């Protein structure tokens, strides 16, 4: 019993009897309704994961779904910037209401709660993980069909907390065409498999730069290695997104809801199948 990890399904001991593993899922705020939860993850930072998250949210909102964005990147929050929101809708005894974008996307981020959004969040891992969990338990999410969780990079405290505490229905892995992609993506996929959460597929960001004059696609970061990884894990590449200065400009100016998201069609189709 001293070595019990709580996973009865893999336990060979006969001394535990019929004891069932205790669920670590956190209770959603009683006033909230969230139907599906999709986590957007990356093995490393700087691959445009938050941009992909916002594009997914905008795409689903345009299809008529009610959408929420939970910014789980506590030390590097950027969702409010992408959507041009600065304040939550308010709070009462039932909980905190997230910010609301022009198209009705609900957004919750630590930057919405700081007096100065430029102030660093200097917290230890367990405190950061606890804050993310509170975004689920204490925030009032109103009739959300799809919630997209913008995860911090890597496989640390926050991803573990999200995978254990939230009922994640699927994962989209964002990557870039670089030599280290095989090892980094493998870590993300293996963590998802360890937590028994299905991976919907990959989105390769910064896949190429299209010349505005001749239309030629230039592989700025070299030839992609993602096809080999996708074949190894038998997972689809759902989108290859170009380096697009207009998207970066829209993100920085809070106008992501005006961006063309047609390249996300296959990703959206995979999400809707869940």
């Amino acid at each position: 019993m001293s070595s019990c990890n709580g996973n009865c399904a893999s336990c060979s001991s006969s001394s535990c009897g019929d004891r069932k593993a205790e669920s670590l899922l956190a209770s959603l705020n009683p006033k909230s309704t969230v139907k599906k939860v999709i986590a957007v993850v990356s093995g490393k930072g700087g691959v445009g994961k938050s941009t992909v998250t916002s594009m997914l949210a905008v795409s689903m909102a345009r299809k008529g779904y009610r959408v929420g964005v939970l910014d789980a990147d506590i030390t590097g929050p950027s969702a409010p910037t992408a959507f041009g929101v600065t304040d939550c809708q308010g709070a009462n005894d039932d909980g905190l209401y997230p910010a609301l974008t022009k198209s009705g996307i609900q957004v919750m981020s630590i930057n919405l709660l700081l007096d100065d959004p430029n102030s660093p969040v200097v917290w230890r891992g367990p405190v950061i993980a606890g804050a993310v969990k509170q975004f689920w338990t204490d925030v009032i999410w109103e009739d959300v069909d799809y919630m997209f969780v913008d995860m911090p990079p890597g496989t640390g405290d926050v991803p573990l907390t999200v995978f254990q505490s939230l009922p994640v229905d699927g994962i989209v892995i964002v990557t870039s065409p670089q030599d280290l992609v095989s090892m980094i993506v493998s870590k993300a996929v293996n963590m998802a498999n360890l937590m028994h959460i299905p991976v919907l597929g990959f989105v390769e960001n910064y896949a190429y730069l299209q010349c505005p004059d001749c239309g030629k696609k230039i592989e700025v970061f070299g030839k992609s290695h993602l096809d080999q990884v996708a074949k190894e894990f038998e997972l689809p590449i759902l989108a290859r997104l170009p380096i697009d200065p207009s998207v970066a400009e829209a993100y920085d100016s809070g106008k992501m809801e005006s961006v063309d998201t047609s390249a996300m069609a296959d990703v959206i189709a995979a999400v809707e199948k869940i």
Side-chain angles (χ1 to χ4, degrees):
M1 292 297 292
S2 60
S3 60
C4 178
N5 61 7
N7 186 357
C8 293
S10 63
C11 181
S12 60
S13 173
S14 59
S15 62
C16 295
D18 294 326
R19 182 178 65 82
K20 295 183 178 180
E22 179 183 357
S23 173
L24 297 176
L25 287 177
S27 298
L28 183 64
N29 186 296
K31 297 294 184 179
S32 295
T33 302
V34 178
K35 295 178 182 177
K36 297 292 183 181
V37 179
I38 309 298
V40 183
V41 309
S42 65
K44 66 183 291 294
V47 298
K49 170 182 48 58
S50 296
T51 301
V52 171
T53 301
S54 61
M55 292 178 71
L56 283 169
V58 170
S59 299
M60 295 301 277
R62 287 175 180 167
K63 296 197 71 172
Y65 294 109
R66 292 180 63 88
V67 179
V69 174
L70 191 160
D71 190 352
D73 195 349
I74 301 296
T75 59
S78 60
T81 299
F83 293 103
V85 293
T86 56
D87 298 295
C88 293
Q89 298 178 77
N92 56 31
D93 291 340
D94 294 322
L96 178 66
Y97 289 88
L100 198 64
T101 73
K102 293 179 180 178
S103 64
I105 298 172
Q106 299 172 53
V107 178
M108 190 63 226
S109 171
I110 193 67
N111 257 15
L112 297 171
L113 305 178
L114 299 176
D115 293 332
D116 180 2
N118 294 317
S119 297
V121 177
V122 188
W123 296 346
R124 295 189 183 277
V127 179
I128 292 175
V132 172
K133 190 174 179 179
Q134 283 186 287
F135 286 169
W136 178 258
T137 61
D138 295 0
V139 173
I140 300 174
W141 300 95
E142 298 183 291
D143 300 320
V144 171
D145 295 310
Y146 290 94
M147 172 182 285
F148 294 100
V149 183
D150 186 6
M151 304 276 276
T155 56
D157 286 339
V158 171
L160 182 60
T161 295
V162 170
F163 292 158
Q164 289 184 326
S165 301
L166 274 61
V168 179
D169 296 285
I171 293 172
V172 173
I173 298 178
V174 182
T175 184
S176 61
Q178 293 173 315
D179 288 341
L180 289 175
V181 71
S182 177
M183 177 187 69
I184 293 169
V185 171
S186 296
K187 288 178 181 291
V189 174
N190 288 332
M191 181 177 188
N193 292 337
L194 184 66
M195 305 304 294
H196 305 292
I197 300 174
V199 178
L200 304 184
F202 303 111
V203 173
E204 185 176 65
N205 201 21
Y206 309 139
Y208 58 90
L209 174 66
Q210 188 161 12
C211 176
D213 296 322
C214 67
K216 180 181 179 180
K217 293 182 178 180
I218 305 168
E219 296 176 330
V220 177
F221 294 104
K223 186 172 177 60
S224 172
H225 298 269
L226 186 58
D227 294 276
Q228 302 166 2
V229 182
K231 183 177 180 180
E232 177 186 349
F233 288 103
E234 299 182 341
L235 292 170
I237 299 174
L238 300 172
R240 294 185 189 271
L241 305 179
I243 298 172
D244 188 343
S246 67
V247 173
E249 182 180 354
Y251 196 100
D252 291 340
S253 59
K255 298 178 180 178
M256 280 302 292
E257 287 164 297
S258 67
V259 166
D260 178 9
T261 61
S262 57
M264 304 297 289
D266 289 345
V267 192
I268 296 304
V271 169
E272 288 183 306
K273 287 180 181 178
I274 294 180

mmCIF file of all heavy atoms in Angstrom, residues 51-69 83 101 103 105 146 148 239 241 256-269 271-272:
data_model
loop_
_atom_site.group_PDB
_atom_site.id
_atom_site.type_symbol
_atom_site.label_atom_id
_atom_site.label_comp_id
_atom_site.label_asym_id
_atom_site.label_seq_id
_atom_site.Cartn_x
_atom_site.Cartn_y
_atom_site.Cartn_z
ATOM 1 N N THR A 51 -1.373 31.587 -30.655
ATOM 2 C CA THR A 51 -1.980 32.027 -31.910
ATOM 3 C C THR A 51 -2.921 30.962 -32.445
ATOM 4 O O THR A 51 -4.047 31.256 -32.878
ATOM 5 C CB THR A 51 -0.892 32.331 -32.952
ATOM 6 O OG1 THR A 51 -0.029 33.349 -32.455
ATOM 7 C CG2 THR A 51 -1.509 32.783 -34.266
ATOM 8 N N VAL A 52 -2.492 29.714 -32.418
ATOM 9 C CA VAL A 52 -3.330 28.608 -32.880
ATOM 10 C C VAL A 52 -4.571 28.485 -32.007
ATOM 11 O O VAL A 52 -5.686 28.272 -32.507
ATOM 12 C CB VAL A 52 -2.533 27.287 -32.899
ATOM 13 C CG1 VAL A 52 -3.452 26.095 -33.152
ATOM 14 C CG2 VAL A 52 -1.437 27.342 -33.945
ATOM 15 N N THR A 53 -4.415 28.641 -30.693
ATOM 16 C CA THR A 53 -5.556 28.571 -29.776
ATOM 17 C C THR A 53 -6.595 29.624 -30.139
ATOM 18 O O THR A 53 -7.801 29.336 -30.215
ATOM 19 C CB THR A 53 -5.100 28.782 -28.325
ATOM 20 O OG1 THR A 53 -4.137 27.787 -27.970
ATOM 21 C CG2 THR A 53 -6.284 28.674 -27.367
ATOM 22 N N SER A 54 -6.143 30.847 -30.352
ATOM 23 C CA SER A 54 -7.075 31.921 -30.671
ATOM 24 C C SER A 54 -7.744 31.694 -32.026
ATOM 25 O O SER A 54 -8.934 31.981 -32.200
ATOM 26 C CB SER A 54 -6.370 33.276 -30.643
ATOM 27 O OG SER A 54 -5.327 33.338 -31.596
ATOM 28 N N MET A 55 -7.000 31.148 -32.990
ATOM 29 C CA MET A 55 -7.586 30.857 -34.295
ATOM 30 C C MET A 55 -8.640 29.755 -34.202
ATOM 31 O O MET A 55 -9.676 29.807 -34.882
ATOM 32 C CB MET A 55 -6.488 30.468 -35.285
ATOM 33 C CG MET A 55 -5.561 31.613 -35.653
ATOM 34 S SD MET A 55 -4.215 31.141 -36.786
ATOM 35 C CE MET A 55 -5.143 30.891 -38.315
ATOM 36 N N LEU A 56 -8.385 28.778 -33.355
ATOM 37 C CA LEU A 56 -9.383 27.734 -33.122
ATOM 38 C C LEU A 56 -10.651 28.314 -32.502
ATOM 39 O O LEU A 56 -11.774 27.996 -32.922
ATOM 40 C CB LEU A 56 -8.806 26.643 -32.211
ATOM 41 C CG LEU A 56 -7.845 25.648 -32.836
ATOM 42 C CD1 LEU A 56 -7.156 24.812 -31.769
ATOM 43 C CD2 LEU A 56 -8.595 24.735 -33.805
ATOM 44 N N ALA A 57 -10.470 29.169 -31.509
ATOM 45 C CA ALA A 57 -11.618 29.781 -30.841
ATOM 46 C C ALA A 57 -12.436 30.621 -31.812
ATOM 47 O O ALA A 57 -13.676 30.546 -31.841
ATOM 48 C CB ALA A 57 -11.140 30.633 -29.668
ATOM 49 N N VAL A 58 -11.753 31.425 -32.615
ATOM 50 C CA VAL A 58 -12.439 32.281 -33.592
ATOM 51 C C VAL A 58 -13.174 31.427 -34.628
ATOM 52 O O VAL A 58 -14.323 31.715 -34.986
ATOM 53 C CB VAL A 58 -11.427 33.219 -34.286
ATOM 54 C CG1 VAL A 58 -12.065 33.930 -35.473
ATOM 55 C CG2 VAL A 58 -10.896 34.241 -33.287
ATOM 56 N N SER A 59 -12.534 30.358 -35.099
ATOM 57 C CA SER A 59 -13.155 29.485 -36.095
ATOM 58 C C SER A 59 -14.440 28.868 -35.574
ATOM 59 O O SER A 59 -15.461 28.832 -36.280
ATOM 60 C CB SER A 59 -12.173 28.370 -36.500
ATOM 61 O OG SER A 59 -11.001 28.890 -37.085
ATOM 62 N N MET A 60 -14.409 28.370 -34.350
ATOM 63 C CA MET A 60 -15.588 27.728 -33.780
ATOM 64 C C MET A 60 -16.693 28.741 -33.502
ATOM 65 O O MET A 60 -17.886 28.451 -33.685
ATOM 66 C CB MET A 60 -15.200 26.987 -32.497
ATOM 67 C CG MET A 60 -14.249 25.833 -32.707
ATOM 68 S SD MET A 60 -14.884 24.561 -33.830
ATOM 69 C CE MET A 60 -15.911 23.609 -32.698
ATOM 70 N N ALA A 61 -16.319 29.938 -33.070
ATOM 71 C CA ALA A 61 -17.316 30.981 -32.825
ATOM 72 C C ALA A 61 -18.017 31.362 -34.130
ATOM 73 O O ALA A 61 -19.234 31.617 -34.147
ATOM 74 C CB ALA A 61 -16.655 32.201 -32.187
ATOM 75 N N ARG A 62 -17.274 31.411 -35.224
ATOM 76 C CA ARG A 62 -17.864 31.743 -36.525
ATOM 77 C C ARG A 62 -18.842 30.674 -36.999
ATOM 78 O O ARG A 62 -19.719 30.934 -37.826
ATOM 79 C CB ARG A 62 -16.752 31.935 -37.559
ATOM 80 C CG ARG A 62 -15.974 33.235 -37.382
ATOM 81 C CD ARG A 62 -14.815 33.325 -38.352
ATOM 82 N NE ARG A 62 -14.074 34.576 -38.183
ATOM 83 C CZ ARG A 62 -12.892 34.837 -38.712
ATOM 84 N NH1 ARG A 62 -12.301 33.899 -39.457
ATOM 85 N NH2 ARG A 62 -12.280 35.989 -38.517
ATOM 86 N N LYS A 63 -18.686 29.460 -36.495
ATOM 87 C CA LYS A 63 -19.599 28.385 -36.859
ATOM 88 C C LYS A 63 -20.839 28.357 -35.974
ATOM 89 O O LYS A 63 -21.696 27.483 -36.117
ATOM 90 C CB LYS A 63 -18.876 27.034 -36.776
ATOM 91 C CG LYS A 63 -17.727 26.888 -37.764
ATOM 92 C CD LYS A 63 -17.302 25.445 -37.945
ATOM 93 C CE LYS A 63 -18.357 24.675 -38.713
ATOM 94 N NZ LYS A 63 -17.882 23.310 -39.079
ATOM 95 N N GLY A 64 -20.919 29.309 -35.056
ATOM 96 C CA GLY A 64 -22.110 29.422 -34.224
ATOM 97 C C GLY A 64 -22.015 28.776 -32.862
ATOM 98 O O GLY A 64 -22.988 28.781 -32.096
ATOM 99 N N TYR A 65 -20.842 28.226 -32.526
ATOM 100 C CA TYR A 65 -20.671 27.620 -31.208
ATOM 101 C C TYR A 65 -20.361 28.694 -30.162
ATOM 102 O O TYR A 65 -19.808 29.749 -30.483
ATOM 103 C CB TYR A 65 -19.519 26.616 -31.228
ATOM 104 C CG TYR A 65 -19.756 25.401 -32.092
ATOM 105 C CD1 TYR A 65 -19.053 25.228 -33.292
ATOM 106 C CD2 TYR A 65 -20.671 24.426 -31.718
ATOM 107 C CE1 TYR A 65 -19.257 24.114 -34.095
ATOM 108 C CE2 TYR A 65 -20.877 23.305 -32.515
ATOM 109 C CZ TYR A 65 -20.170 23.155 -33.702
ATOM 110 O OH TYR A 65 -20.381 22.055 -34.486
ATOM 111 N N ARG A 66 -20.721 28.398 -28.934
ATOM 112 C CA ARG A 66 -20.313 29.248 -27.817
ATOM 113 C C ARG A 66 -18.952 28.743 -27.336
ATOM 114 O O ARG A 66 -18.800 27.564 -27.028
ATOM 115 C CB ARG A 66 -21.349 29.219 -26.695
ATOM 116 C CG ARG A 66 -22.674 29.894 -27.080
ATOM 117 C CD ARG A 66 -23.680 29.841 -25.954
ATOM 118 N NE ARG A 66 -23.214 30.575 -24.777
ATOM 119 C CZ ARG A 66 -23.421 31.869 -24.575
ATOM 120 N NH1 ARG A 66 -24.059 32.591 -25.483
ATOM 121 N NH2 ARG A 66 -22.992 32.459 -23.477
ATOM 122 N N VAL A 67 -17.983 29.640 -27.278
ATOM 123 C CA VAL A 67 -16.589 29.246 -27.099
ATOM 124 C C VAL A 67 -15.980 29.933 -25.884
ATOM 125 O O VAL A 67 -16.273 31.091 -25.587
ATOM 126 C CB VAL A 67 -15.762 29.610 -28.358
ATOM 127 C CG1 VAL A 67 -14.299 29.228 -28.171
ATOM 128 C CG2 VAL A 67 -16.337 28.922 -29.594
ATOM 129 N N GLY A 68 -15.114 29.197 -25.192
ATOM 130 C CA GLY A 68 -14.354 29.752 -24.083
ATOM 131 C C GLY A 68 -12.870 29.504 -24.292
ATOM 132 O O GLY A 68 -12.483 28.496 -24.900
ATOM 133 N N VAL A 69 -12.042 30.423 -23.808
ATOM 134 C CA VAL A 69 -10.590 30.262 -23.836
ATOM 135 C C VAL A 69 -10.068 30.385 -22.413
ATOM 136 O O VAL A 69 -10.223 31.437 -21.778
ATOM 137 C CB VAL A 69 -9.902 31.312 -24.735
ATOM 138 C CG1 VAL A 69 -8.381 31.185 -24.617
ATOM 139 C CG2 VAL A 69 -10.338 31.159 -26.184
ATOM 140 N N PHE A 83 -7.316 39.124 -28.044
ATOM 141 C CA PHE A 83 -8.715 39.484 -28.255
ATOM 142 C C PHE A 83 -9.049 40.912 -27.838
ATOM 143 O O PHE A 83 -10.198 41.327 -27.925
ATOM 144 C CB PHE A 83 -9.615 38.493 -27.512
ATOM 145 C CG PHE A 83 -9.568 37.104 -28.076
ATOM 146 C CD1 PHE A 83 -8.845 36.103 -27.443
ATOM 147 C CD2 PHE A 83 -10.224 36.798 -29.255
ATOM 148 C CE1 PHE A 83 -8.789 34.820 -27.964
ATOM 149 C CE2 PHE A 83 -10.178 35.520 -29.791
ATOM 150 C CZ PHE A 83 -9.458 34.531 -29.147
ATOM 151 N N THR A 101 -15.359 38.816 -25.519
ATOM 152 C CA THR A 101 -14.857 39.497 -26.716
ATOM 153 C C THR A 101 -16.020 40.021 -27.562
ATOM 154 O O THR A 101 -17.192 39.757 -27.275
ATOM 155 C CB THR A 101 -14.004 38.547 -27.573
ATOM 156 O OG1 THR A 101 -14.872 37.592 -28.221
ATOM 157 C CG2 THR A 101 -12.991 37.808 -26.721
ATOM 158 N N SER A 103 -17.089 39.095 -30.413
ATOM 159 C CA SER A 103 -17.902 38.043 -31.016
ATOM 160 C C SER A 103 -18.478 37.071 -29.985
ATOM 161 O O SER A 103 -19.077 36.065 -30.357
ATOM 162 C CB SER A 103 -17.078 37.270 -32.050
ATOM 163 O OG SER A 103 -16.000 36.587 -31.424
ATOM 164 N N ILE A 105 -16.741 35.418 -27.440
ATOM 165 C CA ILE A 105 -15.841 34.412 -26.880
ATOM 166 C C ILE A 105 -15.521 34.769 -25.434
ATOM 167 O O ILE A 105 -15.163 35.905 -25.129
ATOM 168 C CB ILE A 105 -14.538 34.321 -27.701
ATOM 169 C CG1 ILE A 105 -14.846 33.892 -29.133
ATOM 170 C CG2 ILE A 105 -13.546 33.355 -27.056
ATOM 171 C CD1 ILE A 105 -13.648 33.963 -30.072
ATOM 172 N N TYR A 146 -17.441 24.615 -26.609
ATOM 173 C CA TYR A 146 -16.051 24.191 -26.712
ATOM 174 C C TYR A 146 -15.158 25.146 -25.924
ATOM 175 O O TYR A 146 -15.170 26.352 -26.174
ATOM 176 C CB TYR A 146 -15.591 24.160 -28.176
ATOM 177 C CG TYR A 146 -16.209 23.057 -28.986
ATOM 178 C CD1 TYR A 146 -17.363 23.288 -29.733
ATOM 179 C CD2 TYR A 146 -15.653 21.775 -29.011
ATOM 180 C CE1 TYR A 146 -17.941 22.276 -30.484
ATOM 181 C CE2 TYR A 146 -16.228 20.759 -29.753
ATOM 182 C CZ TYR A 146 -17.375 21.013 -30.487
ATOM 183 O OH TYR A 146 -17.945 20.001 -31.224
ATOM 184 N N PHE A 148 -11.228 25.956 -25.161
ATOM 185 C CA PHE A 148 -9.850 25.716 -25.581
ATOM 186 C C PHE A 148 -8.919 26.176 -24.471
ATOM 187 O O PHE A 148 -8.983 27.330 -24.041
ATOM 188 C CB PHE A 148 -9.563 26.453 -26.883
ATOM 189 C CG PHE A 148 -10.358 25.928 -28.044
ATOM 190 C CD1 PHE A 148 -11.509 26.580 -28.472
ATOM 191 C CD2 PHE A 148 -9.973 24.766 -28.692
ATOM 192 C CE1 PHE A 148 -12.258 26.079 -29.526
ATOM 193 C CE2 PHE A 148 -10.717 24.255 -29.758
ATOM 194 C CZ PHE A 148 -11.861 24.920 -30.172
ATOM 195 N N ALA A 239 -2.937 20.761 -40.061
ATOM 196 C CA ALA A 239 -2.736 22.050 -40.726
ATOM 197 C C ALA A 239 -1.254 22.387 -40.767
ATOM 198 O O ALA A 239 -0.497 22.024 -39.865
ATOM 199 C CB ALA A 239 -3.506 23.152 -40.003
ATOM 200 N N LEU A 241 0.639 25.946 -41.175
ATOM 201 C CA LEU A 241 0.365 27.377 -41.224
ATOM 202 C C LEU A 241 1.617 28.150 -41.618
ATOM 203 O O LEU A 241 2.715 27.874 -41.137
ATOM 204 C CB LEU A 241 -0.130 27.866 -39.861
ATOM 205 C CG LEU A 241 -1.350 27.134 -39.289
ATOM 206 C CD1 LEU A 241 -1.713 27.723 -37.925
ATOM 207 C CD2 LEU A 241 -2.524 27.205 -40.241
ATOM 208 N N MET A 256 -7.673 39.448 -33.365
ATOM 209 C CA MET A 256 -7.645 38.093 -33.905
ATOM 210 C C MET A 256 -8.991 37.657 -34.467
ATOM 211 O O MET A 256 -9.059 36.761 -35.323
ATOM 212 C CB MET A 256 -7.189 37.108 -32.827
ATOM 213 C CG MET A 256 -5.690 37.081 -32.612
ATOM 214 S SD MET A 256 -4.728 36.664 -34.095
ATOM 215 C CE MET A 256 -5.179 34.954 -34.340
ATOM 216 N N GLU A 257 -10.057 38.285 -34.035
ATOM 217 C CA GLU A 257 -11.376 37.914 -34.543
ATOM 218 C C GLU A 257 -11.590 38.344 -35.996
ATOM 219 O O GLU A 257 -12.589 37.986 -36.609
ATOM 220 C CB GLU A 257 -12.461 38.503 -33.646
ATOM 221 C CG GLU A 257 -12.546 37.777 -32.309
ATOM 222 C CD GLU A 257 -13.330 38.549 -31.262
ATOM 223 O OE1 GLU A 257 -12.892 39.661 -30.892
ATOM 224 O OE2 GLU A 257 -14.358 38.033 -30.800
ATOM 225 N N SER A 258 -10.638 39.108 -36.541
ATOM 226 C CA SER A 258 -10.739 39.536 -37.935
ATOM 227 C C SER A 258 -9.857 38.705 -38.863
ATOM 228 O O SER A 258 -9.865 38.902 -40.079
ATOM 229 C CB SER A 258 -10.329 41.014 -38.053
ATOM 230 O OG SER A 258 -8.949 41.185 -37.765
ATOM 231 N N VAL A 259 -9.122 37.762 -38.326
ATOM 232 C CA VAL A 259 -8.143 36.985 -39.104
ATOM 233 C C VAL A 259 -8.826 35.880 -39.917
ATOM 234 O O VAL A 259 -9.810 35.274 -39.479
ATOM 235 C CB VAL A 259 -7.090 36.371 -38.145
ATOM 236 C CG1 VAL A 259 -6.261 35.307 -38.830
ATOM 237 C CG2 VAL A 259 -6.187 37.454 -37.596
ATOM 238 N N ASP A 260 -8.289 35.619 -41.090
ATOM 239 C CA ASP A 260 -8.751 34.509 -41.922
ATOM 240 C C ASP A 260 -8.292 33.197 -41.290
ATOM 241 O O ASP A 260 -7.088 32.960 -41.123
ATOM 242 C CB ASP A 260 -8.162 34.648 -43.332
ATOM 243 C CG ASP A 260 -8.559 33.496 -44.258
ATOM 244 O OD1 ASP A 260 -9.426 32.683 -43.875
ATOM 245 O OD2 ASP A 260 -7.989 33.402 -45.354
ATOM 246 N N THR A 261 -9.242 32.340 -40.918
ATOM 247 C CA THR A 261 -8.909 31.080 -40.254
ATOM 248 C C THR A 261 -9.258 29.870 -41.114
ATOM 249 O O THR A 261 -9.406 28.765 -40.602
ATOM 250 C CB THR A 261 -9.644 30.971 -38.900
ATOM 251 O OG1 THR A 261 -11.066 31.004 -39.135
ATOM 252 C CG2 THR A 261 -9.263 32.114 -37.980
ATOM 253 N N SER A 262 -9.379 30.072 -42.420
ATOM 254 C CA SER A 262 -9.772 28.977 -43.305
ATOM 255 C C SER A 262 -8.779 27.820 -43.290
ATOM 256 O O SER A 262 -9.151 26.660 -43.536
ATOM 257 C CB SER A 262 -9.945 29.492 -44.740
ATOM 258 O OG SER A 262 -8.749 30.113 -45.211
ATOM 259 N N ALA A 263 -7.512 28.103 -42.976
ATOM 260 C CA ALA A 263 -6.494 27.046 -42.930
ATOM 261 C C ALA A 263 -6.725 26.068 -41.782
ATOM 262 O O ALA A 263 -6.110 25.002 -41.739
ATOM 263 C CB ALA A 263 -5.104 27.661 -42.803
ATOM 264 N N MET A 264 -7.618 26.434 -40.857
ATOM 265 C CA MET A 264 -7.878 25.577 -39.695
ATOM 266 C C MET A 264 -9.022 24.596 -39.936
ATOM 267 O O MET A 264 -9.457 23.917 -39.006
ATOM 268 C CB MET A 264 -8.218 26.460 -38.485
ATOM 269 C CG MET A 264 -7.170 27.501 -38.139
ATOM 270 S SD MET A 264 -5.592 26.774 -37.663
ATOM 271 C CE MET A 264 -6.025 26.085 -36.071
ATOM 272 N N ALA A 265 -9.503 24.503 -41.162
ATOM 273 C CA ALA A 265 -10.702 23.706 -41.444
ATOM 274 C C ALA A 265 -10.585 22.257 -40.979
ATOM 275 O O ALA A 265 -11.505 21.713 -40.360
ATOM 276 C CB ALA A 265 -11.012 23.756 -42.946
ATOM 277 N N ASP A 266 -9.449 21.608 -41.257
ATOM 278 C CA ASP A 266 -9.283 20.205 -40.858
ATOM 279 C C ASP A 266 -9.161 20.052 -39.350
ATOM 280 O O ASP A 266 -9.575 19.034 -38.781
ATOM 281 C CB ASP A 266 -8.062 19.601 -41.550
ATOM 282 C CG ASP A 266 -8.266 19.386 -43.037
ATOM 283 O OD1 ASP A 266 -9.438 19.438 -43.476
ATOM 284 O OD2 ASP A 266 -7.279 19.192 -43.756
ATOM 285 N N VAL A 267 -8.579 21.049 -38.701
ATOM 286 C CA VAL A 267 -8.477 21.010 -37.244
ATOM 287 C C VAL A 267 -9.878 21.101 -36.636
ATOM 288 O O VAL A 267 -10.226 20.362 -35.702
ATOM 289 C CB VAL A 267 -7.602 22.174 -36.702
ATOM 290 C CG1 VAL A 267 -7.266 21.932 -35.237
ATOM 291 C CG2 VAL A 267 -6.336 22.314 -37.525
ATOM 292 N N ILE A 268 -10.675 22.004 -37.160
ATOM 293 C CA ILE A 268 -12.043 22.177 -36.673
ATOM 294 C C ILE A 268 -12.861 20.906 -36.897
ATOM 295 O O ILE A 268 -13.633 20.477 -36.028
ATOM 296 C CB ILE A 268 -12.728 23.375 -37.371
ATOM 297 C CG1 ILE A 268 -12.002 24.672 -37.014
ATOM 298 C CG2 ILE A 268 -14.192 23.457 -36.985
ATOM 299 C CD1 ILE A 268 -11.880 24.947 -35.545
ATOM 300 N N ALA A 269 -12.679 20.291 -38.056
ATOM 301 C CA ALA A 269 -13.393 19.041 -38.348
ATOM 302 C C ALA A 269 -13.037 17.963 -37.336
ATOM 303 O O ALA A 269 -13.905 17.203 -36.871
ATOM 304 C CB ALA A 269 -13.077 18.576 -39.757
ATOM 305 N N VAL A 271 -11.991 18.460 -34.249
ATOM 306 C CA VAL A 271 -12.560 18.849 -32.959
ATOM 307 C C VAL A 271 -14.048 18.515 -32.899
ATOM 308 O O VAL A 271 -14.555 18.004 -31.893
ATOM 309 C CB VAL A 271 -12.345 20.365 -32.708
ATOM 310 C CG1 VAL A 271 -13.157 20.835 -31.501
ATOM 311 C CG2 VAL A 271 -10.862 20.663 -32.488
ATOM 312 N N GLU A 272 -14.746 18.776 -33.991
ATOM 313 C CA GLU A 272 -16.206 18.535 -34.014
ATOM 314 C C GLU A 272 -16.546 17.052 -33.940
ATOM 315 O O GLU A 272 -17.667 16.686 -33.579
ATOM 316 C CB GLU A 272 -16.812 19.148 -35.266
ATOM 317 C CG GLU A 272 -16.863 20.679 -35.246
ATOM 318 C CD GLU A 272 -17.537 21.247 -36.487
ATOM 319 O OE1 GLU A 272 -17.106 20.902 -37.606
ATOM 320 O OE2 GLU A 272 -18.487 22.022 -36.316
#
